[in-house]
Structure formats: structure tokens, C-alpha cells
Amino acid sequence: MNPSQANLAPHAAVHPGVPAISTLRLVGGILLAMGTFVLLGLVPYFVEVYVGRFGVSPPIAPPLLLSVGGLLALLTGASFVLKPTSAWGPSCVILSVAGIAYLLYLVQSPVYSITFSHVAITITYSTLLWLLLLVPVLGLAAGLVATIEDWRHPGERARIMFH
Amino acid sequence: MSRPPLYRLRQLFSLASALSLVALVLAVVTAGVSAGEFVVGAQSASNFRAQSTSYSLVANEVIAHANYSIPNAGFYSIGGLTMMAVISNSSIQPGPVAVAHAGPVTIPGGSHGTLALVVPFNLSSPAGTFLLTHDAQLATALWVNGTYAVLFPVSIATTYEATWGAPFARLAFSAGAPASQSNGTVQVAVTLSFENHASITLAGVVRATVVDPHGDHCGSAVFPILNNGGPETVTAEVWIPTTCPTSGDTVVATVELNGLALPLPPEPLP
């Protein structure tokens, strides 16, 4: 028996030379998901709660920040775990679509307002959000190409990536 | 192994996505740091009050020149900086007394910029006529708009009370009792007093005319006024012939300054 085949998890896609979803990859995915949740969920949440004490009105409800941050974190971790498999492309597409949807939601009210004494300061970040859309849009394109690649040449991408 | 085209295309998209994210994160972080520097530098500034204000009288307008110096201690520029001021006093009139705009200017990082606000007060309007002779507190609403680091449009709005000093505060015009002269004329002394609370030079003339009850002119005088601030009292004599009866006469006068004509209330002869 080929040693690499002896280590294949039962649920992994079986292609010659393609690594299985190893325990290490699972742990990496979990750590990546946790880190993403901290960056996209916890940090914005605590920043909003903190600046809210100084009269800054949050553009997005803090609980929603945590929910969306958690969802994106899960999708990011899953995408990392599925990288050796043909499900990676579709997982990238789903993650990118979720990112695009989130940014399009944020762009509807892209304003931070701070009021103190007789002064009101309003900062608009719509330009930043529109530019940030580039990231998931390019990620979507990458995911679509990976999906097509894996469909037309199963296992070829994973063999190149992991060897 | 040579990479298939689809693989390279996917790599290209992935790389572009990652680079975009890194570039934007860097831009946001550096903009945040730069904005912090800007705020620290701006805290020593005027609290959105003008650093210097001067006034001039041109035609029928008092022009207030207010200069706002804006330090940009950050390293990103502030672009398209504009300012709008709306000055009002609801007890004088419902709408704005004056509206002014300044800009747009661009302030590069690490430098200062100046927004020069020119506020015209039309003295021919009912509000302007009131402000000529009455001090007032004027509610000033200020809006400043600009774009920081290209990415972030910022808008600042504030209100404060500005003190208006009238050029002819406590204006009083009086006519003395007619005094017959040995040369067959009658002398009427007219006195104009006021306090210049505005920071403008008042240079002009007063035209005083004695008018009989039929509206005919009996005599007139033109005398200069020159005041750089503070109280002023000027007295002149109007000579009228004895053929012009003084009973029921009125002195009408106009202050003329740089094209501005300020009619004074008619003053009956005692």
C-alpha cells in the first residue's frame, strides 16, 4: 500500500499524490478561524463599545459585528481546511460572496459621527469600503477559477500546490 | 512542472486579492496614525475660531475678513477643504444675516493652510441698517468639509456666538435752537455723536439740511467725520436766511461713507 494512501482520512477526496485533510490542517484551520474572528469580530466590537462612550455613534450594531465576524471566521477556517480538496474553490466563492455582501451592507451607512460640546464631526469611509470590495471580488474570481480547474482537471491543482 | 494556465490565473487573482488587502490595511493604519498627528497638532489651534479678523467698509457692505489657520501635522494631505458660515440673529430677521464661503484649499501633510472667510454684511438691508447702529450677538454656524488622505471625507460642524460691534452705536443726532446772527442769518447747530464699536475706519461726510414745513430747503452744511474707533462727537453749523421761518423746520441728515448712505432720523428744530 502506498504510505500516503494509508494516511488518508475516510472523507478526503482520493487522488493520487493529493494530501489528505490532516490533523495539522484542521488545527491550522481552527487557529485561522479564531484569528479571523478576533480581527473581524472581537476587535471591531470592543472598539465600537469603547468609542461609544465618547459619543461616537456606531455605524453597525455591535452584536451584528460579532455574528458576521463569526460567520466569516468559520468560512475562512473551512476554506483553509478544504484547500487540498475540490471543495476549496466553492468554499472560496462562498467566503468571497459573504465578504461582498457584508461590505455592500456596510456601504449603505458608511459614516462615523462624533459629537461633543458644540462640535459635530462626521467621517465617511465609503471610498474605503468600495476599494475593499476589490479583495473579495478578486477572491471570488480566484475561487471560480479554482472550481473550474478542479472540475476540469481533478487533483491537478492540489498536486501542484502541495508538492 | 510548468504551471497550467488556469492555475496561474488563479494564483494571479489570489495574489492580487492579498496585495489589495495588504495595501488597504496599510493605508488605513497609516491614515489613522497620520490623523492622530493631525488631531494633536490641531488641538493647539483655535478651537475653530478665527485667528485674525479684520473689517472694511466697501460701498454698502461691511466686509469681515476671518482667517482660519489649519495646521496639518499628519503626513497625508487634506484635500478640497471648504468652509461655509451662516450668521444669523432671529431677533433681527428670520433668515441669515450673512452667508460666506471659503476654499477649496489643499493642505499637504506637515504644513499649514489658511481658509480665508470673507463675510459681507449688506448694510442696505433691514438687518444691515439695524447692525449699523446696534451691537448684537450673532449666532455663527460653521461647516468645514474636506477629504483626508484621499479616502476619508470629513465634515465638521460647529456653532458659536460672535459679537458684532456697530460702527454707529448709540447714534444720536440733535439740532440746537436757532440763533439769529448779526449778518441777517440764523445759525442752527447740529450735533452728531456715536461710538464706533466696529474695527473699521469711518471716513466720510455728514450732509445736514434744514427743511421748512413745506419741504423747501432752507440751508445745508457738509462736514467730515473720521473715526478709527471709539466715541465721536461732531458739531457743525447750518446757516439759513431769515427769509426762511424756523418754526416747524426739521433737520434731515445723511452720513455718507465709501458709497454708503445712512439716513439719520429727522430732528425737529426746538
Coordinates of all heavy atoms in Angstrom, one line a residue, chain A residues 41-78:
Chain A
G41 N -14.3 40.3 14.3 CA -15.4 40.3 15.2 C -15.1 41.0 16.5 O -15.7 42.1 16.8
L42 N -14.2 40.5 17.2 CA -13.9 41.0 18.6 C -13.3 42.4 18.6 O -13.8 43.2 19.3 CB -13.0 40.0 19.3 CG -13.6 38.7 19.8 CD1 -12.6 37.8 20.5 CD2 -14.9 38.9 20.7
V43 N -12.3 42.6 17.8 CA -11.6 43.9 17.8 C -12.6 45.0 17.4 O -12.7 46.0 18.1 CB -10.4 43.9 16.9 CG1 -9.9 45.3 16.7 CG2 -9.3 43.0 17.5
P44 N -13.3 44.9 16.3 CA -14.3 46.0 15.9 C -15.4 46.1 17.0 O -15.8 47.2 17.3 CB -14.9 45.5 14.6 CG -13.9 44.6 14.0 CD -13.3 43.9 15.2
Y45 N -15.8 45.0 17.6 CA -16.8 45.0 18.7 C -16.3 45.9 19.9 O -17.0 46.8 20.3 CB -17.1 43.6 19.1 CG -18.1 43.6 20.3 CD1 -19.4 43.7 20.2 CD2 -17.6 43.4 21.6 CE1 -20.3 43.7 21.3 CE2 -18.4 43.4 22.7 CZ -19.8 43.5 22.5 OH -20.6 43.5 23.6
F46 N -15.1 45.6 20.3 CA -14.6 46.3 21.5 C -14.3 47.8 21.2 O -14.4 48.7 22.0 CB -13.4 45.6 22.1 CG -13.8 44.4 22.9 CD1 -13.5 43.1 22.5 CD2 -14.6 44.5 24.1 CE1 -13.9 42.0 23.3 CE2 -15.0 43.4 24.8 CZ -14.7 42.1 24.4
V47 N -13.8 48.0 19.9 CA -13.6 49.4 19.5 C -14.8 50.2 19.5 O -14.9 51.3 20.0 CB -12.9 49.4 18.1 CG1 -12.9 50.8 17.5 CG2 -11.5 48.9 18.2
E48 N -15.9 49.6 19.0 CA -17.2 50.3 18.9 C -17.7 50.6 20.4 O -18.2 51.6 20.6 CB -18.2 49.5 18.2 CG -18.2 49.7 16.7 CD -19.5 49.4 15.9 OE1 -20.4 48.8 16.6 OE2 -19.5 49.7 14.8
V49 N -17.6 49.5 21.2 CA -18.1 49.7 22.6 C -17.3 50.8 23.3 O -17.8 51.7 24.0 CB -18.0 48.4 23.4 CG1 -18.2 48.6 24.8 CG2 -19.0 47.4 22.8
Y50 N -16.0 50.8 23.0 CA -15.1 51.8 23.7 C -15.4 53.2 23.2 O -15.6 54.1 24.0 CB -13.6 51.4 23.4 CG -12.7 52.4 24.0 CD1 -12.4 52.5 25.4 CD2 -11.9 53.3 23.2 CE1 -11.6 53.4 26.0 CE2 -11.1 54.2 23.8 CZ -10.9 54.3 25.2 OH -10.0 55.2 25.7
V51 N -15.4 53.4 21.9 CA -15.6 54.8 21.4 C -17.0 55.3 21.6 O -17.3 56.5 21.6 CB -15.2 54.9 19.9 CG1 -13.7 54.6 19.7 CG2 -16.1 54.0 19.0
G52 N -17.9 54.3 21.7 CA -19.3 54.7 22.0 C -19.5 55.5 23.3 O -20.4 56.3 23.4
R53 N -18.5 55.3 24.2 CA -18.6 56.0 25.5 C -18.2 57.5 25.3 O -18.5 58.3 26.1 CB -17.5 55.5 26.5 CG -17.8 54.1 26.9 CD -16.7 53.6 27.8 NE -16.7 52.2 27.9 CZ -15.7 51.4 28.4 NH1 -14.6 52.0 28.9 NH2 -15.8 50.1 28.5
F54 N -17.6 57.8 24.1 CA -17.2 59.2 23.8 C -18.2 59.9 22.9 O -17.8 60.9 22.2 CB -15.8 59.2 23.3 CG -14.8 58.7 24.3 CD1 -14.3 57.4 24.1 CD2 -14.3 59.4 25.3 CE1 -13.4 56.8 25.0 CE2 -13.4 58.9 26.2 CZ -13.0 57.6 26.1
G55 N -19.3 59.3 22.7 CA -20.3 59.9 21.9 C -20.2 59.6 20.4 O -20.9 60.2 19.5
V56 N -19.5 58.5 20.1 CA -19.4 58.1 18.7 C -20.5 57.1 18.4 O -20.6 56.1 19.1 CB -18.0 57.4 18.4 CG1 -18.0 56.9 17.0 CG2 -16.9 58.3 18.7
S57 N -21.3 57.4 17.4 CA -22.4 56.5 17.1 C -22.0 55.4 16.2 O -21.4 55.7 15.1 CB -23.6 57.3 16.5 OG -23.1 58.0 15.4
P58 N -22.1 54.1 16.6 CA -21.6 53.1 15.7 C -22.4 52.9 14.5 O -23.6 52.9 14.5 CB -21.7 51.8 16.6 CG -22.8 52.1 17.6 CD -22.8 53.6 17.8
P59 N -21.8 52.7 13.3 CA -22.5 52.5 12.1 C -23.1 51.1 12.0 O -24.0 50.9 11.2 CB -21.4 52.7 11.0 CG -20.2 52.3 11.6 CD -20.3 52.7 13.1
I60 N -22.6 50.2 12.8 CA -23.2 48.8 12.7 C -23.3 48.3 14.1 O -22.5 48.6 15.0 CB -22.3 47.9 11.9 CG1 -22.8 46.5 11.9 CG2 -20.8 47.9 12.4 CD1 -22.1 45.5 10.9
A61 N -24.5 47.7 14.4 CA -24.7 47.2 15.8 C -23.7 46.2 16.2 O -23.3 45.3 15.5 CB -26.1 46.6 15.8
P62 N -23.1 46.4 17.4 CA -22.1 45.5 17.9 C -22.4 44.0 17.9 O -21.5 43.2 17.5 CB -21.8 46.0 19.4 CG -22.1 47.5 19.3 CD -23.3 47.6 18.4
P63 N -23.6 43.6 18.3 CA -23.9 42.2 18.1 C -23.8 41.7 16.7 O -23.4 40.5 16.5 CB -25.3 42.1 18.7 CG -25.5 43.3 19.5 CD -24.7 44.3 18.9
L64 N -24.2 42.5 15.8 CA -24.1 42.1 14.4 C -22.6 41.9 14.0 O -22.3 41.0 13.2 CB -24.8 43.2 13.5 CG -24.9 42.8 12.0 CD1 -25.7 41.5 11.8 CD2 -25.6 43.9 11.2
L65 N -21.8 42.8 14.5 CA -20.4 42.7 14.2 C -19.9 41.3 14.6 O -19.1 40.7 13.9 CB -19.6 43.7 15.0 CG -19.3 45.1 14.4 CD1 -18.6 46.0 15.4 CD2 -18.4 44.9 13.1
L66 N -20.3 40.9 15.8 CA -19.8 39.6 16.3 C -20.3 38.4 15.4 O -19.6 37.5 15.1 CB -20.3 39.4 17.8 CG -19.5 40.2 18.8 CD1 -20.2 39.9 20.2 CD2 -18.1 39.8 18.9
S67 N -21.6 38.6 15.0 CA -22.2 37.5 14.2 C -21.6 37.4 12.9 O -21.2 36.3 12.5 CB -23.7 37.8 14.0 OG -24.4 38.0 15.3
V68 N -21.4 38.5 12.2 CA -20.8 38.5 10.9 C -19.3 38.1 11.0 O -18.8 37.3 10.2 CB -21.0 39.8 10.2 CG1 -20.3 39.8 8.8 CG2 -22.5 40.1 10.0
G69 N -18.7 38.6 12.0 CA -17.3 38.2 12.2 C -17.1 36.7 12.4 O -16.2 36.1 11.9
G70 N -18.0 36.1 13.2 CA -18.0 34.7 13.4 C -18.2 33.9 12.2 O -17.6 32.9 11.9
L71 N -19.2 34.3 11.4 CA -19.5 33.7 10.1 C -18.3 33.7 9.2 O -17.9 32.7 8.6 CB -20.7 34.3 9.5 CG -21.1 33.8 8.1 CD1 -21.5 32.3 8.2 CD2 -22.2 34.6 7.4
L72 N -17.7 34.9 9.0 CA -16.6 35.0 8.1 C -15.4 34.2 8.6 O -14.6 33.6 7.9 CB -16.2 36.5 8.0 CG -17.2 37.3 7.2 CD1 -16.7 38.8 7.2 CD2 -17.3 36.9 5.8
A73 N -15.3 34.1 10.0 CA -14.2 33.3 10.5 C -14.4 31.9 10.2 O -13.4 31.1 9.9 CB -14.1 33.6 12.0
L74 N -15.6 31.4 10.4 CA -15.9 30.0 10.1 C -15.6 29.6 8.6 O -15.0 28.6 8.3 CB -17.4 29.7 10.4 CG -17.8 29.2 11.8 CD1 -19.3 29.2 11.9 CD2 -17.1 27.8 12.0
L75 N -16.0 30.5 7.7 CA -15.8 30.3 6.3 C -14.3 30.3 6.0 O -13.9 29.5 5.1 CB -16.6 31.3 5.5 CG -18.1 31.2 5.5 CD1 -18.8 32.4 4.8 CD2 -18.6 29.9 4.9
T76 N -13.6 31.2 6.6 CA -12.2 31.3 6.4 C -11.5 30.0 6.8 O -10.6 29.5 6.1 CB -11.6 32.5 7.1 OG1 -12.2 33.7 6.7 CG2 -10.1 32.7 6.8
G77 N -11.8 29.6 8.0 CA -11.2 28.4 8.5 C -11.6 27.2 7.7 O -10.7 26.3 7.4
A78 N -12.8 27.1 7.3 CA -13.2 26.0 6.4 C -12.5 26.0 5.1 O -12.1 24.9 4.6 CB -14.7 26.0 6.2

